[in-house]
Amino acid sequence: MSHADSQKAIVVGNLLATLALVASSLAGAYYHIGFPIFSRAVWGLWGSQFVIWNRIFLGVVWYGFQSWVGGQCIYLILLSWDPNFAVDVPNTIPADTGTTTAEFACYIIFCVISLPALWIRPHRIQSFFYISSAITILFFLVVLIWALVTMGRDSFGETLSSTSSIPATGGPNSTAWLMLYGMMSTIGSIAAGILNQNDYSRLATRPRDAIWGQALAFPFYSIIGSLIGILVTAATQNRLGGEAIWNPPTLFASILQKDPSPGTRAAVFFAGLALSVSQLGTNLPGNALPGGLDLASVFPGYINIRRGAYIFALLSPVVNPWRLVNTATTFLTVLSGYGVFLAPMTGLMAAHYLVVCRQKVNIDDLFRGDKASIYWYTAGVNWRPPVAWIIGVVPTMPGFVAAVNTSITVSDAATELYYINYLYGFLVSAAVHAFLHWLIPDRKLHAFVTDDTSASEIQELSNARWDVFDGQPGGQVEEEIPL
């Protein structure tokens, strides 16, 4: 595809992701309940364990990967102090592990630096997030200006080429289908964050704060961020021997290697510092806190949010993030394609809230673990979501497997279905879930949904309770609303 086609795919993909993001956050915005708790309403009190553990697994993988990237940012700082840092530190780690002693030491440093930040309570992370976001935005704007001003005669690299030899239509290798795949990959790369968006929206003072805050800010910053990345890569491509370097730490390390002057070293130091703050601001709210919330919902008698976040930090090295980076292409394909599994889960949540329960949620019954709860369904499991989830996942699996293992060949139809995996999984699972609840309604849930109490009345009661909790002394808030 040409650059213009890629940019269109990014823009449309982020707009579609925004719709899924808002739909996934409504229960949290109106009832102040997190992802693991609302999952009980959808899947049943015990059935919800399936989606919660899926999110826990993904969170551990992402926390480890993001921490390793954070270690690369620390490595950049140390490299600015001593350009021979990688050589001066003796390497005692075998080459087949995918890392060196110097890189691993930087990873450990970033992990240790992250530990105090995990102590911050969710409702008090806003100030830290403002600071890290401001630093990140300012940094990337400065990098963009620098890249464009210093480009000189090198001009833009072929990254911005507007020509393409790919046919416009005619199968999965055409521009049209590749653009669709690019849209789905854009959504899939943040599918885990979309799924558990209730964990963030539940902390909003008013529903419109969560809804409009995401609907306006997310597409703006995600699209601008992608555009900056493309322009910086294109503006530095020719001066670095024609290689398009998309990873910022690698880009600055290459610049330092080419020009180790004092000015460049100072610039690389501040770049590494800004990237470290950015990575910390991404990893903490994106992986550690959701993981803490998920673990707290599974083991509420033993784990709170803080303990869960620290458990995530301790478990993350198990995924061997240095090996994941070594197979970055396959790893990123798997994670962006993991939307195959997450899109149906997200569609189920949206359909359940908007269609099945008509925006009515019985908060008390979400915390009642017996047959008296309307969310007990059959032995604590709602059988409808698993059926809808399977129908949303299975048809896209051949294409997903072929994308991960390129030695496997599947039909064009299977590839094309995989190329629209998120859209297919979200819509089909949502429709099947709503249809099954209409065809074979659960007696207790149906009685609650169809009674005379309106959704707005239930939401007002929920907000009144939230206002009571929100007004308590800071030391009591986390224990009162851990989930």
Side-chain angles (χ1 to χ4, degrees):
M1 288 191 301
S2 67
H3 161 69
D5 293 330
S6 300
Q7 192 61 33
K8 290 176 185 176
I10 292 173
V11 171
V12 177
N14 279 303
L15 292 176
L16 291 175
T18 302
L19 295 177
L21 199 69
V22 172
S24 182
S25 66
L26 294 176
Y30 282 97
Y31 289 94
H32 304 289
I33 52 176
F35 156 72
I37 301 305
F38 185 63
S39 295
R40 298 174 184 176
V42 182
W43 294 75
L45 298 175
W46 287 110
S48 62
Q49 295 294 310
F50 172 68
V51 287
I52 294 172
W53 280 103
N54 248 283
R55 183 63 185 88
I56 289 173
F57 165 74
L58 265 183
V60 171
V61 173
W62 268 115
Y63 186 93
F65 180 73
Q66 296 280 13
S67 295
W68 181 259
V69 176
Q72 291 181 320
C73 301
I74 299 295
Y75 180 81
L76 203 58
I77 294 175
L78 298 181
L79 205 59
S80 71
W81 293 347
D82 179 9
N84 296 318
F85 170 69
V87 179
D88 293 341
V89 177
N91 182 34
T92 58
I93 299 178
D96 60 358
T97 60
T99 184
T100 63
T101 300
E103 291 174 332
F104 191 80
C106 293
Y107 164 67
I108 296 300
I109 292 172
F110 183 84
C111 289
V112 172
I113 292 174
S114 301
L115 295 179
L118 299 181
W119 191 257
I120 304 174
R121 291 173 174 170
H123 58 286
R124 291 181 176 172
I125 198 175
Q126 190 173 29
S127 298
F128 170 76
F129 194 66
Y130 282 157
I131 294 172
S132 64
S133 298
I135 291 174
T136 302
I137 293 170
L138 179 61
F139 166 71
F140 281 109
L141 287 176
V142 169
V143 171
L144 175 63
I145 294 171
W146 165 82
L148 296 178
V149 169
T150 60
M151 186 168 53
R153 295 181 178 180
D154 289 328
S155 187
F156 287 111
E158 62 182 15
T159 301
L160 287 184
S161 173
S162 59
T163 60
S164 175
S165 59
I166 301 174
T169 58
N173 293 321
S174 65
T175 298
W177 278 105
L178 290 175
M179 284 184 66
L180 286 171
Y181 183 41
M183 296 173 197
M184 298 304 106
S185 296
T186 299
I187 306 173
S189 64
I190 57 168
I194 294 175
L195 178 65
N196 72 305
Q197 195 59 210
N198 282 323
D199 287 338
Y200 310 108
S201 63
R202 77 185 186 96
L203 297 173
T205 304
R206 295 162 297 186
R208 66 173 180 268
D209 294 339
I211 295 171
W212 288 109
Q214 296 172 108
L216 298 177
F218 175 78
F220 175 78
Y221 286 109
S222 57
I223 292 170
I224 292 299
S226 300
L227 179 61
I228 290 176
I230 292 172
L231 290 175
V232 169
T233 300
T236 57
Q237 184 174 2
N238 288 337
R239 75 181 82 175
L240 294 175
E243 181 184 2
I245 301 178
W246 295 95
N247 184 27
T250 305
L251 173 64
F252 287 106
S254 299
I255 292 173
L256 181 62
Q257 184 178 21
K258 185 177 180 180
D259 177 22
S261 64
T264 303
R265 290 170 62 182
V268 169
F269 168 79
F270 286 108
L273 186 62
L275 288 170
S276 298
V277 174
S278 172
Q279 205 62 26
L280 189 60
T282 300
N283 210 16
L284 175 61
N287 300 306
L289 289 181
L293 286 161
D294 292 341
L295 286 174
S297 73
V298 176
F299 306 105
Y302 305 95
I303 298 176
N304 59 17
I305 298 173
R306 282 174 173 167
R307 293 171 189 167
Y310 281 112
I311 290 173
F312 252 57
L314 293 174
L315 287 177
S316 62
V318 175
V319 303
N320 292 340
W322 44 92
R323 289 191 180 275
L324 297 180
V325 174
N326 225 18
T327 56
T329 302
T330 301
F331 173 65
L332 292 176
T333 299
V334 171
L335 284 184
S336 62
Y338 204 78
V340 164
F341 306 99
L342 301 184
M345 296 178 185
T346 309
L348 287 169
M349 293 177 64
H352 194 88
Y353 181 76
L354 294 172
V355 180
V356 175
C357 71
R358 303 176 194 173
Q359 304 179 51
K360 296 172 68 173
V361 180
N362 189 326
I363 300 296
D364 292 336
D365 279 21
L366 288 173
F367 296 91
R368 182 176 291 140
D370 55 39
K371 294 180 180 180
S373 171
I374 64 172
Y375 304 115
W376 182 254
Y377 299 108
T378 304
V381 177
N382 184 2
W383 59 268
R384 299 162 190 82
V387 174
W389 183 79
I390 290 172
I391 293 174
V393 169
V394 171
T396 61
M397 283 303 297
F400 173 69
V401 173
V404 175
N405 187 351
T406 55
S407 64
I408 297 176
T409 303
V410 296
S411 66
D412 286 354
T415 301
E416 290 169 354
L417 186 59
Y418 170 67
Y419 279 2
I420 58 170
N421 63 81
Y422 197 95
L423 203 58
Y424 169 85
F426 186 101
L427 295 177
V428 169
S429 290
V432 172
H433 179 69
F435 174 74
L436 290 176
H437 267 281
W438 172 80
L439 184 67
I440 310 175
D442 180 81
R443 180 179 55 82
K444 288 186 291 186
L445 178 64
H446 182 70
F448 169 71
V449 171
T450 56
D451 68 14
D452 294 334
T453 308
S454 67
S456 59
E457 290 173 332
I458 299 175
Q459 290 164 5
E460 287 177 7
L461 176 61
S462 174
N463 285 326
R465 289 181 173 183
W466 175 261
D467 290 340
V468 171
F469 289 147
D470 196 36
Q472 291 183 3
Q476 298 180 25
V477 173
E478 182 183 352
E479 300 305 319
E480 292 289 351
I481 50 169
L483 305 180

